[in-house]
Amino acid sequence: MLINTMKKINIYKKKILIRLDLNVPMKNNKITSDERIKSSLNTIKIALQNKSKIIILSHLGRPTEGKFKKKYSLLPIVKYLRKKFKKTIIHFKKNIYEEIKINYGEILIFENVRFNVGEKNNDKKLSKRYASLCDVFIMDAFGTAHRKESSTYGVGFFSKISCAGPLLMSEIKSLQKSIKNPKRPLITILGGSKISTKFNILKSLCKISDTVIVGGGIANTFLAIKNNIGNSIYEKNFIKLAKKLKKKYNIIIPIDSKVKQTNINEIKYIFKKSNTIQKNDEIMDIGKKSIKKIEKIIKKSKTIIWNGPVGVFESSEFRDGTKRIAYSISKNKKAFSIAGGGDTLAVINMFNLKNKISYISTGGGAFLEFIEKKTLPAINMLKKKYLKKINV
């Protein structure tokens, strides 16, 4: 691939800016899964071995630009890294335009880039500011490589040298290998709350998959084509589009669900067929019959793409569907399984299945978009930067 890599660039005693993906699940300002951070530790270690001046950028969640909110602060992650690198001085700054002083072998982490006005719109001024901080920009955040933002895309064009980090390269090579001439049947399992954020990718995955299994709020939108879904999460504006997809492709939707019923005096949980949901019901997980049906499909598959839980897995009462699917994937030794996304990583970690999935990607949307398009904006940026240098 025609891009520069961290391995090829001399970073010894250089000022380097690393864009990492430290967007980990949080609850009450505490990290609930550190898998994404662990994936980035090797990159930091390489930089420290080269006695670089290390500046790290990352986002966390989806805050409103220009407005600080504690729940989106990177401070818990900074504290985590300070424990991991006890002998290293790690600074933490909130203002990206503030003057910085850092010694060789030290790390400076800036606050959540999404607090910065212009970040999501790839603002030129902000991109130039990021680039002015370094001699070398290292893009190593695969999870955000599908976004044209200042810290993932714009900065690369204005930096003196831009290259891909080891994690990004590992993701690209592994995914390229996995989607080239996949063994069939190929199935996709797609969960999550919103079909709107995944509709285009869902459409593309339908084209390459023999079977697509949907769960969560995405499944609810499909169920709403013909059924009452009560108080369940779904997207009314996407029902017609979901209907067209369902008619054209082999999409499996739940035939039963575990629902939460809210009455005047009590809340109870029962299993119901998908066509018997009432107005006070809320779908929280797939049902027992749906699980058995999906397990049979997984058992016969040769390639599995998995992104997202099929229920509210954070609650012990509603994680059985996701758990059973995860175990079924791990037991199919004949299939090549690819899993990606923050919640998916949390599920794999929760059930200790890390070594039983063929390939685990740190990305969610990026993981799916790469499978769809075979490239990503950040990769295109690195290619353009490399070719510009060669042409000169």
Side-chain angles (χ1 to χ4, degrees):
M1 184 175 285
L2 297 175
I3 59 176
N4 268 326
T5 65
M6 186 180 181
K7 192 176 180 180
K8 296 176 184 176
I9 303 296
N10 177 19
I11 61 167
Y12 182 73
K13 287 200 169 180
K14 296 285 179 70
K15 289 186 295 180
I16 64 172
L17 178 68
I18 312 175
R19 178 51 160 100
L20 297 177
D21 182 8
L22 306 176
N23 182 35
V24 292
M26 306 277 286
K27 190 173 183 180
N28 300 322
N29 290 107
K30 290 184 178 180
I31 299 166
T32 57
S33 172
D34 63 355
E35 289 303 308
R36 274 184 174 161
I37 306 177
K38 284 181 180 178
S39 299
S40 297
L41 295 180
N42 182 53
T43 307
I44 299 171
K45 286 175 184 176
I46 293 169
L48 287 171
Q49 287 165 4
N50 280 275
K51 299 180 180 178
S52 307
K53 290 183 179 181
I54 306 161
I55 301 169
I56 293 173
L57 300 178
S58 181
H59 76 286
L60 180 67
R62 298 180 180 180
T64 302
E65 282 190 4
K67 295 183 179 180
F68 174 82
K69 203 166 185 178
K70 188 179 178 182
K71 69 180 284 189
Y72 297 118
S73 175
L74 288 182
L75 186 56
I77 294 159
V78 173
K79 290 178 179 177
Y80 175 99
L81 290 173
R82 281 172 177 162
K83 288 180 181 179
K84 285 288 181 182
F85 300 100
K86 291 179 181 179
K87 295 180 180 179
T88 303
I89 295 172
I90 300 180
H91 308 273
F92 181 51
K93 280 189 177 291
K94 292 183 178 181
N95 188 352
I96 194 69
Y97 293 101
E98 192 177 327
E99 183 182 355
I100 64 167
K101 290 181 180 180
I102 179 173
N103 297 315
Y104 293 109
E106 293 182 354
I107 299 171
L108 167 62
I109 302 173
F110 273 107
E111 182 58 281
N112 191 339
V113 292
R114 289 189 178 169
F115 288 149
N116 301 329
V117 176
E119 166 64 20
K120 294 195 79 175
N121 293 325
N122 190 33
D123 180 73
K124 189 178 285 188
K125 179 186 174 184
L126 184 59
S127 297
K128 286 182 176 179
R129 172 55 184 165
Y130 291 147
S132 72
L133 299 172
C134 66
D135 300 312
V136 180
F137 168 65
I138 301 166
M139 176 57 183
D140 209 30
F142 177 78
T144 56
H146 62 311
R147 301 188 184 281
K148 285 187 177 181
E149 298 179 351
S150 286
S151 68
T152 61
Y153 187 77
V155 57
F157 289 106
F158 296 109
S159 298
K160 298 169 190 173
I161 299 171
S162 299
C163 64
L167 178 59
L168 181 61
M169 288 307 300
S170 174
E171 292 270 10
I172 293 169
K173 288 177 181 177
S174 297
L175 286 172
Q176 281 178 333
K177 184 180 177 181
S178 65
I179 60 178
K180 188 178 181 180
N181 300 319
K183 290 183 178 180
R184 295 189 179 275
L186 185 159
I187 70 165
T188 293
I189 301 164
L190 195 64
S193 59
K194 292 185 177 181
I195 193 172
S196 57
T197 59
K198 294 183 179 180
F199 184 79
N200 289 333
I201 292 167
L202 172 60
K203 192 175 178 181
S204 296
L205 287 168
C206 283
K207 292 176 183 178
I208 67 169
S209 304
D210 297 294
T211 303
V212 174
I213 298 162
V214 291
I218 295 174
N220 294 344
T221 302
F222 279 95
L223 286 170
I225 296 169
K226 292 183 178 180
N227 304 287
N228 176 17
I229 56 165
N231 293 322
S232 311
I233 295 171
Y234 80 110
E235 290 177 279
K236 188 177 180 180
N237 295 337
F238 277 81
I239 292 175
K240 284 186 179 179
L241 291 170
K243 187 177 181 179
K244 287 181 181 179
L245 282 185
K246 184 73 173 66
K247 190 175 181 180
K248 191 174 182 180
Y249 300 104
N250 184 27
I251 299 174
I252 305 298
I253 62 176
I255 53 176
D256 65 336
S257 304
K258 189 174 185 180
V259 302
K260 179 171 74 173
Q261 291 185 316
T262 306
N263 296 318
I264 297 173
N265 298 318
E266 62 176 346
I267 296 174
K268 59 179 181 178
Y269 315 105
I270 63 169
F271 290 97
K272 280 194 169 187
K273 290 181 180 179
S274 297
N275 61 358
T276 62
I277 306 295
Q278 300 298 312
K279 65 177 182 178
N280 289 326
D281 296 338
E282 185 177 358
I283 298 170
M284 304 297 280
D285 195 5
I286 59 175
K288 294 177 181 179
K289 291 180 181 178
S290 297
I291 292 171
K292 287 182 179 179
K293 183 179 179 180
I294 293 168
E295 284 176 330
K296 287 179 182 178
I297 296 169
I298 292 171
K299 192 175 182 179
K300 293 177 181 178
S301 64
K302 294 291 176 64
T303 303
I304 304 165
I305 298 170
W306 173 31
N307 175 263
V310 296
V312 187
F313 80 99
E314 296 91 345
S315 174
S316 59
E317 294 122 326
F318 307 120
R319 69 173 59 133
D320 196 46
T322 300
K323 181 181 179 179
R324 293 272 295 275
I325 285 173
Y327 274 106
S328 293
I329 294 169
S330 70
K331 288 175 183 176
N332 187 344
K333 304 299 180 184
K334 294 179 181 178
F336 186 92
S337 52
I338 319 166
D343 285 339
T344 314
L345 289 176
V347 170
I348 291 167
N349 190 45
M350 181 184 286
F351 303 128
N352 295 313
L353 299 175
K354 189 175 181 179
N355 298 321
K356 295 181 180 180
I357 306 295
S358 305
Y359 179 71
I360 299 171
S361 173
T362 57
F367 157 75
L368 292 173
E369 191 168 315
F370 188 87
I371 290 172
E372 174 197 356
K373 298 178 179 177
K374 314 297 187 291
T375 190
L376 296 168
I379 296 170
N380 292 335
M381 174 272 292
L382 291 169
K383 284 181 180 177
K384 287 177 183 177
K385 187 76 175 181
Y386 177 84
L387 292 171
K388 185 179 179 182
K389 182 180 177 182
I390 294 297
N391 291 336
V392 172

